[in-house]
Amino acid sequence: MNMHKHEFWELSYVYEGIGTHHFENGTSNKIQKGDFLLISPGSTHCITSPPPEKGSRVRVCNILISPDYMKKLIGCFLKLHEFDENPLRQLFVSNAPICIQFTDDSESIYRMITNVAHEYNHFSEGSNYIIENELLNLLIYISRLYQKVLNNNYTGNTKKVLIDELIQFIGFNFSSPLTLEYLAEYIHLTPEYLSRYFKKHTGKNLSVFIAETRIEKAKYMLRTSDFAIIEIAEYCGFFTRNNFEKTFKKYTGITAGEYRRQNLF
C-alpha cells in the first residue's frame, strides 16, 4: 500500500468500482461508487482496489485545495451561511487530521467536482470565477450532508465511521487524560455536539464509556499481571488510587484487591 499525506485539502469522489480506504492507525473503510471523501492536510491514507476477480477497479476524481485557498473559500462561506453555528466549522478550524466519508447517490458532488476539474484543465476567461463558485456550492452541499448526519436523518455510514473512530481512539489512548474538549477537538465537533451525539448513538454518556473502558483494561491487568494496584491504576488513566478504587467498585461491586483474589489461577 502506498500510504501518503500532503499539505492540501483533498476532495475525492468515487465514480466507479469498489475499494478500500486505509488509514495510518491500521483501520480501513469500504468505499464504492457514490462515496465522497473529505480529507484534511496531514492525514495519512491510501486507497486500494480489490483483485480483478473480486470487483471492478475503484476510480476516484480528486481535487486538491491549498490551505490558503480553503481559508479564502471559508471567508466567502461566512457571508453565505451561519458558519459559526455549523458543526463543519470545527472541521476547518482544527489542526487534527480528519477524513470524513459521505454517501451521495445523487452524484451532485461528482458534477461539481468534475466542473471544477474541467475549468482548471481548460482554463480560460472566467474560469477562476466558475471554480470558486462551484467550490462554494460544494462546501454548502457538504455542510448539508454533515448536518443530516448529526441530526440522525442521514442513512449513510458517516455517523458510524466517526463514532467507531472515536471509540478506537479511546481504546488506544485510555491511559491519557481524555477530556470532552480534547476528544471534541479530535473528532471535529463542538463539545456540546459530541456529548449529545455520542449518547444518542451508543446509549451511554461519553464519561461513562471512558470509565468502563479503563476499568475493563484494569480488570485484564489484575487477572494477567503482577503489577501493583497503584501501577495498574496509573496505567489505566487514574491519577490517584482512591479515585481508581472508587470507580472500580462502582462498576464491579468489589474492590480491585478483591477482584484480583477472586480471579487468581
Side-chain angles (χ1 to χ4, degrees):
M1 291 187 295
N2 183 25
M3 300 290 284
H4 68 279
K5 65 179 179 179
H6 38 67
E7 298 307 311
F8 297 90
W9 286 90
E10 184 174 346
L11 284 62
S12 301
Y13 185 88
V14 182
Y15 65 90
E16 184 177 314
I18 59 174
T20 305
H21 192 204
H22 303 271
F23 306 100
E24 186 177 25
N25 62 7
T27 61
S28 62
N29 292 328
K30 295 297 181 183
I31 57 174
Q32 60 185 355
K33 180 179 178 180
D35 285 348
F36 170 72
L37 307 174
L38 178 63
I39 306 162
S40 69
S43 298
T44 302
H45 69 114
C46 75
I47 293 175
T48 60
S49 293
E53 66 274 11
K54 292 189 177 181
S56 58
R57 183 176 180 83
V58 65
R59 297 185 182 277
V60 178
C61 182
N62 284 342
I63 291 179
L64 300 180
I65 303 177
S66 72
D68 287 342
Y69 192 73
M70 182 63 85
K71 287 180 182 178
K72 177 184 176 182
L73 291 173
I74 292 171
C76 296
F77 191 35
L78 281 167
K79 301 173 184 177
L80 301 172
H81 198 278
E82 294 295 330
F83 197 63
D84 285 333
E85 300 300 323
N86 192 290
L88 266 185
R89 179 180 182 279
Q90 289 297 111
L91 191 158
F92 289 108
V93 301
S94 172
N95 292 321
I98 188 67
C99 173
I100 297 180
Q101 181 176 338
F102 302 97
T103 297
D104 176 44
D105 294 328
S106 70
E107 298 192 3
S108 297
I109 290 178
Y110 182 50
R111 177 186 54 76
M112 287 182 269
I113 287 180
T114 52
N115 282 349
V116 170
H118 175 80
E119 291 297 328
Y120 183 84
N121 292 325
H122 303 85
F123 203 88
S124 61
E125 183 179 357
S127 287
N128 55 328
Y129 293 106
I130 294 174
I131 291 171
E132 184 172 309
N133 285 333
E134 285 288 23
L135 289 175
L136 282 172
N137 289 338
L138 188 54
L139 283 179
I140 293 170
Y141 195 86
I142 295 169
S143 174
R144 290 175 178 174
L145 288 178
Y146 199 52
Q147 189 68 59
K148 288 179 180 179
V149 169
L150 299 178
N151 288 341
N152 202 29
N153 294 325
Y154 185 62
T155 58
N157 64 358
T158 304
K159 181 193 304 188
K160 185 176 185 302
V161 168
L162 286 173
I163 290 297
D164 287 350
E165 181 182 353
L166 182 61
I167 288 173
Q168 184 175 62
F169 181 82
I170 292 170
F172 286 145
N173 297 276
F174 62 91
S175 298
S176 304
L178 296 175
T179 65
L180 177 61
E181 290 73 20
Y182 177 77
L183 293 173
E185 171 76 7
Y186 174 78
I187 208 67
H188 305 281
L189 298 174
T190 65
E192 295 77 15
Y193 254 102
L194 175 57
S195 182
R196 295 195 302 269
Y197 186 51
F198 193 89
K199 176 70 178 290
K200 191 171 187 178
H201 185 76
T202 67
K204 295 180 180 179
N205 290 325
L206 184 56
S207 59
V208 170
F209 179 82
I210 294 170
E212 288 179 344
T213 300
R214 287 171 168 163
I215 294 302
E216 286 302 314
K217 300 292 184 181
K219 287 165 62 178
Y220 176 80
M221 293 185 71
L222 288 166
R223 293 194 307 269
T224 61
S225 78
D226 57 0
F227 286 111
I229 291 177
I230 184 60
E231 293 178 301
I232 294 174
E234 291 174 353
Y235 180 75
C236 292
F238 296 93
F239 298 106
T240 68
R241 177 161 179 171
N242 182 59
N243 185 29
F244 171 66
E245 291 286 8
K246 182 178 179 180
T247 306
F248 193 93
K249 191 167 185 178
K250 176 181 178 181
Y251 286 98
T252 67
I254 57 177
T255 68
E258 291 170 329
Y259 182 85
R260 172 168 267 177
R261 287 191 294 272
Q262 291 178 11
N263 288 275
L264 288 176
F265 295 102

